[in-house]
Amino acid sequence: MLLTISTTHTPATDLGYLLHKNPARAQSFDLSFGKAHVFYPEAGDERCTAALMIELDTVGFVRGGRGPAGEGFALRQYVNDRPYAASSFMSVAIARVFGTALSGRCAQRPELVETPIPLTATLAALPCRGGEALLRRLFEPLGYRVEASRHPLDPAFPEWGDSPYFTVTLSANARLADLLSHLYVLIPVLDDEKHYWVDAEEVEKPLRHGEAWLPAHPERETIVQRYLRRRKEYTREALARLAEEDAPDPDAEEEARNREEETVEAPMRLNDARMAAVAGALRETGARRVLDLGCGEGRLIKALMADRQFTEIAGIDVSLRSLEIAERRLNLENLAPRQRERVRLLHGSLVYRDRRLEGYDAAAVVEVIEHLDPPRLVAFERALFEFARPGAVVVTTPNSEYNALWESLPAGSLRHRDHRFEWTRAEFAAWANAVAERHGYSVAFSPIGPEDPALGAPTQMALFTLNDTR
Ligand code: SAH
């Protein structure tokens, strides 16, 4: 796998500063899937070229279970294009080896980072599933001149036709950080090989590195969908984040559904009771720094802000639209600085480990778990109880037994169209007890809302407290 980047900016060896790699020295880096080497085939004042070469550890790669299982022919696991074709492995290597350059930092020469310079990137073998047309649709809107020459499947047998591999040269007057971010996101899109992902959880990264340009890219849907191939639920989430006025807006649908749920639950002012119960439970744990996970439009945050015990409140949600509404409803812009500083709204997903969520006294997860598909519920459990690991966690979820008492709810239906499940009290208790057991917490349950003697209350709450392990 080979990528070269050249410039004719003068002095051309500035490329070394930008890449944080000395042109005079070849360097190697260990990656989880092999080795990356950086060297400069040429380094003159007028022209400088840096090369990133990746050696894939094919055997380790198969052992690691990342090869294609049982498809095609028996040796396909070992004999395939991965060592040669630019793919998500190339992207990961770019991020690892040129991470500082990718993020646009250069302490020694900050002005250089911001300067567009003449750059040419060449990929020796880029698989372009979708052909040259897609290659052009991806790079030309970003300002590149694209040259592509397609390789035959086998030069000795021209009748076999073309391969999907191209040698591709991209030229532009651009910032190096932009070039790297375009390559980082778009190489795996063109490769589109569903069998091989360096890491199945590479959802946040393309979005983060594409933030500046992806929302306006005419092919953004193709880009996101291909990136997240076979992971439909991820696609939805990712598109929601990139949603623009002109695109169908999944968040707007979410909002409409929330209204529906409110209509079902309205006569009881259940929501107020829920916020009061959760705020009360958090207060009793003695927590000062708290998280509201899946904070939505900020209803719990509002209740928490009214209590001075909570010195720091961080809300996190995957829906940008909800965060915007929360920001407006909480009137954050106009608060006194001391009040303003108590509250932070974070954009993120609860199903990934997130360092920003570590070190809090307590977390609330109000009416969120029922929105997660079962495999993501497992990921959420680990992200929260294993990694973020707050001293206490309050979780609420509907009690499905109670649904029978709602006139406006047809028998057997869920309260909200986006709910993946609704649990009975026994089901919730089974999940919560198992989670507590797995992660060293104790758990206690309480009802929220008017209690029916047989069916319980409309909302169920679990309070987890971290066992003292001293
Ligand atoms: N806790 C709020 C909102 C509940 S609705 C309240 O009680 O008012 C569920 C919320 O969970 C929505 O705002 C939705 O965007 C959010 N959500 C769903 N899946 C999520 C995920 N994977 N990561 C973060 N937030 C998520």
Side-chain angles (χ1 to χ4, degrees):
M1 245 183 277
L2 180 66
L3 163 70
T4 59
I5 298 175
S6 306
T7 187
T8 50
H9 162 85
T10 35
T13 43
D14 272 356
L15 188 60
Y17 285 105
L18 284 167
L19 290 171
H20 289 251
K21 298 287 172 287
N22 183 345
R25 198 154 63 89
Q27 282 177 268
S28 297
F29 303 84
D30 285 323
L31 302 171
S32 63
F33 47 83
K35 265 186 182 308
H37 308 279
V38 179
F39 54 93
Y40 289 74
E42 56 181 341
D45 276 351
E46 260 133 57
R47 199 181 151 83
C48 180
T49 297
L52 170 65
M53 196 187 87
I54 299 151
E55 254 183 295
L56 200 77
D57 170 8
T58 323
V59 173
F61 170 70
V62 171
R63 288 214 189 99
R66 287 189 290 237
E71 254 183 53
F73 59 101
L75 281 175
R76 186 172 139 96
Q77 316 195 66
Y78 295 97
V79 184
N80 56 54
D81 69 353
R82 293 298 95 178
Y84 318 102
S87 68
S88 57
F89 295 105
M90 172 72 85
S91 292
V92 171
I94 289 175
R96 278 286 309 276
V97 176
F98 297 142
T100 315
L102 175 62
S103 62
R105 278 177 285 131
C106 179
Q108 287 167 299
R109 306 280 305 275
E111 80 299 341
L112 197 55
V113 171
E114 294 308 324
T115 315
I117 57 174
L119 288 170
T120 298
T122 301
L123 288 151
L126 178 63
C128 297
R129 285 170 247 270
E132 188 174 335
L134 181 63
L135 173 71
R136 291 187 180 280
R137 289 209 309 279
L138 292 181
F139 281 100
E140 284 175 349
L142 296 167
Y144 293 93
R145 209 175 55 250
V146 177
E147 287 161 58
S149 69
R150 189 167 200 151
H151 297 285
L153 259 183
D154 188 328
F157 297 93
E159 65 278 16
W160 288 5
D162 285 333
S163 76
Y165 308 102
F166 287 74
T167 292
V168 173
T169 303
L170 305 164
S171 317
N173 211 44
R175 294 167 64 235
L176 179 68
D178 292 335
L179 169 66
L180 292 174
S181 103
H182 298 150
L183 294 172
Y184 176 86
V185 176
L186 296 178
I187 289 171
V189 170
L190 280 160
D191 176 32
D192 200 28
E193 173 60 88
K194 61 181 187 250
H195 294 302
Y196 309 88
W197 282 92
V198 172
D199 176 352
E201 306 224 324
E202 297 243 313
V203 174
E204 306 279 339
K205 293 180 189 167
L207 296 175
R208 210 161 60 229
H209 288 287
E211 245 167 25
W213 54 271
L214 197 43
H217 196 292
E219 294 292 333
R220 61 183 175 273
E221 296 248 344
T222 310
I223 295 169
V224 172
Q225 269 158 22
R226 282 194 162 206
Y227 213 102
L228 310 175
R229 192 184 171 103
R230 297 197 309 160
R231 292 179 168 263
K232 284 236 166 55
E233 69 272 37
Y234 287 176
T235 306
R236 256 194 1 194
E237 184 173 298
L239 282 175
R241 299 186 209 180
L242 292 174
E244 288 190 340
E245 305 292 344
D246 61 345
D249 186 344
D251 283 353
E253 291 166 31
E254 165 78 15
E255 243 178 291
R257 285 189 234 114
N258 285 337
R259 305 272 167 271
E260 235 172 68
E261 185 175 24
E262 278 168 19
T263 319
V264 178
E265 295 185 345
M268 316 181 42
R269 308 203 60 80
L270 180 56
N271 196 52
D272 294 344
R274 198 148 51 209
M275 295 309 154
V278 173
L282 289 174
R283 194 176 304 121
E284 277 171 36
T285 66
R288 301 178 68 75
R289 304 180 60 241
V290 294
L291 287 168
D292 182 7
L293 305 176
C295 62
E297 299 172 6
R299 289 188 282 209
L300 178 64
I301 296 178
K302 193 168 188 106
L304 298 176
M305 283 173 77
D307 186 335
R308 299 202 356 225
Q309 173 178 330
F310 304 112
T311 53
E312 204 180 313
I313 306 159
I316 180 164
D317 205 287
V318 75
S319 156
L320 276 177
R321 190 191 201 84
S322 295
L323 290 175
E324 278 162 18
I325 295 174
E327 184 153 17
R328 244 182 295 131
R329 284 210 181 154
L330 297 169
N331 199 17
L332 291 184
E333 301 240 300
N334 302 316
L335 291 180
R338 289 220 11 216
Q339 288 300 315
R340 173 72 194 85
E341 280 158 22
R342 285 171 73 206
V343 181
R344 280 202 303 156
L345 295 178
L346 304 171
H347 183 219
S349 172
L350 304 178
V351 298
Y352 305 105
R353 178 177 188 173
D354 187 336
R355 291 237 145 75
R356 296 174 300 176
L357 307 186
E358 291 171 16
Y360 281 84
D361 301 326
V365 196
V366 178
E367 308 293 285
V368 173
I369 58 171
E370 63 276 9
H371 292 263
L372 303 176
D373 289 326
R376 313 184 104 208
L377 188 62
V378 176
F380 157 78
E381 173 192 328
R382 294 196 60 196
L384 176 56
F385 291 92
E386 184 177 330
F387 297 116
R389 216 163 168 73
V393 179
V394 180
V395 178
T396 78
T397 195
N399 164 19
S400 65
E401 295 162 83
Y402 198 91
N403 291 355
L405 294 179
W406 262 308
E407 287 163 19
S408 50
L409 196 65
S413 52
L414 304 180
R415 290 181 207 179
H416 187 301
R417 268 187 281 149
D418 193 45
H419 286 182
R420 306 304 153 93
F421 57 83
E422 283 175 3
W423 278 335
T424 62
R425 285 167 292 172
E427 286 167 331
F428 182 47
W431 174 80
N433 283 321
V435 168
E437 169 78 16
R438 277 195 284 272
H439 301 284
Y441 283 76
S442 304
V443 61
F445 301 90
S446 8
I448 301 177
E451 236 181 319
D452 177 87
L455 303 172
T459 300
Q460 34 186 350
M461 176 166 84
L463 169 62
F464 298 81
T465 24
L466 189 59
N467 296 334
D468 196 344
T469 48
R470 272 174 302 174

